[in-house]
Amino acid sequence: QRMRGRESAASEYRFFAPSGTPPERCFNSKDPYGVTVVIPHYENATWLEGAVESAVACNLNCLEVLVVDDGSVSSESHRVLDNIEFNGLPHVRVLRGTHAGLPAARNRGVEEARTRYIAFLDADDRYEAIFLQRSLEILERHKNVSLVYSWAQYVGVNNSVFPAWDLSFPILLLQNQLIPACVMRREAYLQMRGMDESMVDGLEDWDAWIRFFAIGGRGVAIAECLVRYTVRSDSMYQRMTDEQWAYLAETIRDKYPGFYADYVHELVM
């Protein structure tokens, strides 16, 4: 209610705009007010319940949590999924399906969402309790912002900090600027056509943010560690070899040759 009352006083976020920046484009949505947290899951039962608890702990009035299971087959995964369902929380749902990959799981969660805003949270990561509230306040205040994220505190085998900046070219063409834990306008995600479901081996989020920015979406970072990002030696990203990373990065470059050509001088320098 407090944030609804601010809609009439919404202002534009003042981005730094270097020459050559594509024109800004606002995303509007008529979906009901609220946020849906999409938690993709595949054979990650050890961490899943903690992720659900961290989303619920954000304690928003208009909140739903969707656990999208990507065809897990282990008995432990099914036990944990059953526990989540049997808890009977009306705003927590489990969606089960066949194995199609991480991008498809996120896309399905967004399609099933019934709210104006969506948020992503991987099963082994955690929100701080104020993350969603702070993100929604920014989205409500600045009509030209469609994506909000924060710095991340690494936990696990690494305890450093991942700093983030507002999305911008050419930096975004060189490296990913955020982890998947973020809050978006659902309309913006649908307008960028979601994540590429062919990118099942990784870097699907980096590819999505490039496409999001290219069509006029704008994202801002909260310069505080409001997300805990678990660094695991057995995660998909950590298992990726240098050769695999180079191949996927080249795949992304091949998808957006015009942008890389436009910024070739800045990227080289």
Side-chain angles (χ1 to χ4, degrees), residues 190-232:
L190 296 176
Q191 188 149 4
M192 75 173 192
R193 303 186 308 280
M195 294 192 175
D196 184 344
E197 296 186 8
S198 70
M199 298 195 67
V200 296
D201 296 319
L203 304 191
E204 75 293 328
D205 55 326
W206 184 16
D207 169 68
W209 309 141
I210 292 175
R211 186 157 21 92
F212 166 80
F213 189 86
I215 66 171
R218 293 296 175 265
V220 301
I222 301 172
E224 300 175 48
C225 291
L226 302 183
V227 171
R228 284 169 283 157
Y229 179 87
T230 302
V231 181
R232 296 164 36 217

Side-chain angles (χ1 to χ4, degrees), residues 47-123:
W47 305 89
L48 180 58
E49 288 179 296
V52 173
E53 289 169 2
S54 94
V56 171
C58 290
N59 201 29
L60 296 178
N61 290 329
C62 300
L63 171 72
E64 70 171 350
V65 179
L66 293 183
V67 177
V68 185
D69 182 62
D70 186 36
S72 298
V73 297
S74 69
S75 59
E76 181 62 13
S77 288
H78 285 291
R79 183 190 67 79
V80 170
L81 291 167
D82 289 344
N83 283 345
I84 293 171
E85 288 185 312
F86 293 155
N87 280 336
L89 295 176
H91 57 310
V92 178
R93 291 191 284 152
V94 175
L95 306 178
R96 306 190 194 223
T98 57
H99 185 51
L102 178 57
R106 291 197 182 112
N107 289 345
R108 185 186 178 196
V110 175
E111 290 169 2
E112 294 281 345
R114 299 172 292 196
T115 56
R116 177 184 300 179
Y117 299 108
I118 55 169
F120 294 113
L121 181 65
D122 285 351

Side-chain angles (χ1 to χ4, degrees), residues 119-223:
F120 294 113
L121 181 65
D122 285 351
D124 53 358
D125 296 335
R126 305 288 183 265
Y127 293 150
E128 297 296 344
I130 61 171
F131 173 70
L132 291 180
Q133 177 78 23
R134 293 281 301 279
S135 299
L136 289 172
E137 287 174 349
I138 292 170
L139 288 164
E140 287 289 302
R141 187 182 308 127
H142 302 294
K143 63 183 180 180
N144 62 331
V145 174
S146 296
L147 171 67
V148 179
Y149 45 98
S150 79
W151 291 20
Q153 175 66 59
Y154 288 157
V155 296
V157 298
N158 186 330
N159 62 359
S160 59
V161 169
F162 177 84
W165 295 267
D166 294 347
L167 288 190
S168 64
F169 281 175
I171 296 175
L172 185 57
L173 298 172
L174 184 64
Q175 66 181 45
N176 200 352
Q177 291 183 253
L178 66 149
I179 64 172
C182 63
V183 184
M184 293 185 69
R185 300 184 194 274
R186 181 172 180 267
E187 182 70 17
Y189 190 87
L190 296 176
Q191 188 149 4
M192 75 173 192
R193 303 186 308 280
M195 294 192 175
D196 184 344
E197 296 186 8
S198 70
M199 298 195 67
V200 296
D201 296 319
L203 304 191
E204 75 293 328
D205 55 326
W206 184 16
D207 169 68
W209 309 141
I210 292 175
R211 186 157 21 92
F212 166 80
F213 189 86
I215 66 171
R218 293 296 175 265
V220 301
I222 301 172

